[in-house]
Every structure is written in C-alpha cells, then in structure tokens.
Amino acid sequence: MTLPTFDDVTAAAERIKDHAHRTPVLTSRTIDEAVGAKIFFKCENFQRTGAFKFRGAFNSLSKFDERQRRAGAIAFSGGNHAQGIALAARILGMPATILMPNDAPPSKIAATRDYGGKVVSYDRYKDDREAIGRQLAEQQGMTLIPSYDHPHVIAGQGTVAKELFEEVGELDALFVCLGGGGLLAGSALSLRALSPRAKLYGVEPEAGNDGQQSLRSGSLMHIEIPDTIADGAQSQHLGNLTFEIIKRDVDDILTASDDDLIECMRLFASRMKIIVEPTGCLALAGARRIPEKLEGQRVGVIVTGGNVDLQRFNALLAS
C-alpha cells in the first residue's frame, strides 16, 4: 500500500488550479473572543458544487486514460462527492454514474443530476453500496472513484490546507471534519510539510466516533450508520489509506453533538453571514470544545461545505 505524499498534493494543486476555486479565508472577532484564539476559516462552502469534494474528484478524473474517459466514472456518495464527480466528469467530457442513498438530501440529488450525473438510488440500511458500485463498474467498464480511500482523492483534498497555509502562514492548530478521512488525511500531508509544529485535530459526530475509536485503539473500527444531522460524515469506518495517514500524523480526534453543530450553524449565519451545512460545522465545534488548549494561538478551521436544503437549514436553526 503506497500512501500519497505532499508531492502528490502539489501535483494535484497544479492539476486543478484552472477549475477549482481558491476559496476565501475569513475571520470573526466575535468567535475569536469566544474561543480565545485567532481563528482562520478556510471556506470551502464557496467551492464549486458547494464543497471541498470537487477538488479530489477533479484530480482523480483528470488522471484517467482515454479508455477510462470513454467508459466514465462511477462513485457512491450521500451528496458532496456525488456532485464533485458529476461536475468534474462534465468538465472533462465523460459520463458519470452516482450511487446515492434514497434518503440523501433532495437538493444534493437534484444538484448531482443537474451537473450531468446519472443517479442510481439504493437503501443505505439494506444495500451494500460498495458491492453495487463494484458490480456496476465491472459490468460497464467504468472506473470506481471512492469518496475518500483513494490516493488521488486524498491528494486533491490536501490542496485545501495547502492553500490555507500559503495564505496565512504557519498555525498552532488545525481542525478538520472527519467522515471517511480523505480531507483529514490530505490536510495532514500539507500540514506536516508547511506547518509541522501545528497540532492536527479531526472532528466527527458524537454519534459516529469510529475514527476516534480507531485512532485510540490502533485498529480500524467499524460501526453502524450513525444517527446524526451531519449527513456528510455518516461513514461507518475510515479507509485503509486514510487510517494509515491519520494514525501517523493526527494528534487527536474529537467529537461534536448535533446540538453543537446547530449552534455553530447559527454562529456562522448570524456572525459571519454564511450558510454552512451541519457537517461543515464539525471543525468549529471541535475547536469550541477545547478552548483551554487554544488560548492565544493561531488556529485553522476548515469549513467543508454549504450544501443544505434551506427549509432544513431554517428548521434546524429554529429548533
């Protein structure tokens, strides 16, 4: 098993530079005062498709050979990876089939179709999406691009932290949301190269702390599908590649409750005037959990996406 390196992140950055947005880094004096640190928010909710996933998707598909391009890509995703693959495939002129759970947010399903992806539904509680994906890939000759456990995906996601460090310099700590680990693993590659003294924290839903269990036990843990509003982090386990990088480079994994995420959504909307989906709030929620460790420090927080139905967004804020 060959792990990606920071050189792969650098190559990915060159590959995606004319297609992915270089997203803004924002600050909030109110949130700084509440946490007691200077926080730099890398806002991937302003990325194409509304989330960081476009980076890894485009990097992966851009490396296809001619045969792979003709047959196209297949992926399974609850939403953001789906949209990233669909748009990247459209830009690169290839077909894309996306397996999406039938209870995925309607706005994410609609957006995936709008970007040109062919959506195939499955029941996340009964069906094995990985088995379905492999079967379709074999039948139709498509290339399967998983949402996190793939070296080109990890390298693409690592460009988020790379851009952050290039803009603000070295940090004392970086907080990254954690589902399957693609963004956290990619961030680790950039952090160890550009800000090696920084502490790196992953943050996952309290109801789905498989990553925390895995890091602390040293073994890859599998869990049931977590019941959480953070639909982008409802993974049941880390990937083999992502776990190896996380074991090596991540200092700790924290958790956040759904109530924590709603409070962060409210903070982002009221203080920074931005819409952030529940999963995108995990990193800030993690930083707010340990202010005593961050006092006076320079802290990075990756805001992963803003894809949330407005009706659901309003309902969560009113709850």
Side-chain angles (χ1 to χ4, degrees):
M1 178 168 55
T2 302
L3 299 178
T5 67
F6 182 63
D7 285 343
D8 296 309
V9 177
T10 301
E14 186 64 25
R15 209 170 282 122
I16 72 174
K17 69 178 183 180
D18 293 330
H19 300 280
H21 296 323
R22 192 176 181 97
T23 51
V25 177
L26 303 181
T27 58
S28 166
R29 186 175 63 182
T30 300
I31 297 176
D32 286 353
E33 291 173 353
V35 179
K38 181 64 177 178
I39 301 183
F40 300 92
F41 295 95
K42 178 64 170 168
C43 293
E44 286 292 291
N45 50 318
F46 293 112
Q47 186 53 261
R48 295 184 75 170
T49 73
F52 74 96
K53 291 282 191 177
F54 176 72
R55 296 170 180 267
F58 190 89
N59 186 52
S60 299
L61 268 58
S62 67
K63 291 179 70 67
F64 278 16
D65 60 28
E66 191 54 42
R67 184 204 65 78
Q68 289 176 304
R69 287 182 182 234
R70 283 196 303 271
I74 184 169
F76 41 79
S77 164
N80 288 338
H81 181 61
Q83 294 172 72
I85 290 288
L87 178 58
R90 189 178 77 182
I91 293 169
L92 293 165
M94 68 179 80
T97 297
I98 316 294
L99 295 171
M100 299 188 73
N102 51 23
D103 62 346
S107 63
K108 293 186 178 182
I109 295 174
T112 301
R113 289 191 172 117
D114 288 344
Y115 288 129
K118 177 185 176 183
V119 175
V120 176
S121 298
Y122 71 94
D123 186 331
R124 77 163 84 222
Y125 298 100
K126 296 179 181 178
D127 301 327
D128 183 341
R129 68 179 189 175
E130 297 182 22
I132 297 170
R134 286 193 299 269
Q135 183 180 23
L136 286 173
E138 290 170 8
Q139 289 173 350
Q140 301 180 33
M142 296 179 290
T143 300
L144 178 64
I145 300 296
S147 57
Y148 52 86
D149 204 31
H150 190 287
H152 303 152
V153 171
I154 294 169
Q157 317 308 28
T159 62
V160 180
K162 179 178 182 291
E163 289 179 7
L164 175 61
F165 292 124
E166 287 171 348
E167 182 161 341
V168 305
E170 292 195 35
L171 297 171
D172 297 300
L174 178 65
F175 290 80
V176 183
C177 94
L178 175 60
L183 181 62
L184 182 57
S187 298
L189 300 179
S190 292
L191 182 144
R192 295 307 170 209
L194 301 177
S195 186
R197 292 186 296 276
K199 296 283 188 182
L200 179 57
Y201 298 94
V203 189
E204 61 190 347
E206 207 169 66
N209 72 330
D210 59 291
Q212 186 182 67
Q213 293 181 48
S214 298
L215 183 64
R216 294 180 182 178
S217 69
S219 301
L220 193 57
M221 304 296 289
H222 292 245
I223 62 171
E224 295 299 314
I225 296 171
D227 181 13
T228 173
I229 62 172
D231 60 274
Q234 284 183 298
S235 54
Q236 295 176 263
H237 56 84
L238 301 175
N240 292 316
L241 293 173
T242 61
F243 182 47
E244 288 303 313
I245 296 171
I246 288 168
K247 271 199 306 184
R248 184 189 70 194
D249 291 336
V250 173
D251 292 285
D252 200 5
I253 293 174
L254 311 173
T255 63
S257 69
D258 282 358
D259 286 344
D260 293 335
L261 300 182
I262 292 170
E263 180 57 29
C264 288
M265 290 173 69
R266 190 174 289 119
L267 268 175
F268 279 127
S270 64
R271 296 300 182 178
M272 298 179 67
K273 314 307 177 190
I274 58 175
I275 293 176
V276 180
E277 64 184 284
T279 308
C281 294
L282 281 166
L284 175 58
R288 294 178 76 222
R289 277 279 176 101
I290 56 169
E292 69 283 356
K293 293 185 178 181
L294 306 176
E295 188 173 357
Q297 294 188 355
R298 288 164 46 84
V299 176
V301 165
I302 296 179
V303 179
T304 54
N307 292 324
V308 57
D309 290 299
L310 288 180
Q311 187 174 0
R312 177 165 172 72
F313 180 81
N314 291 331
L316 288 171
L317 293 195
S319 64

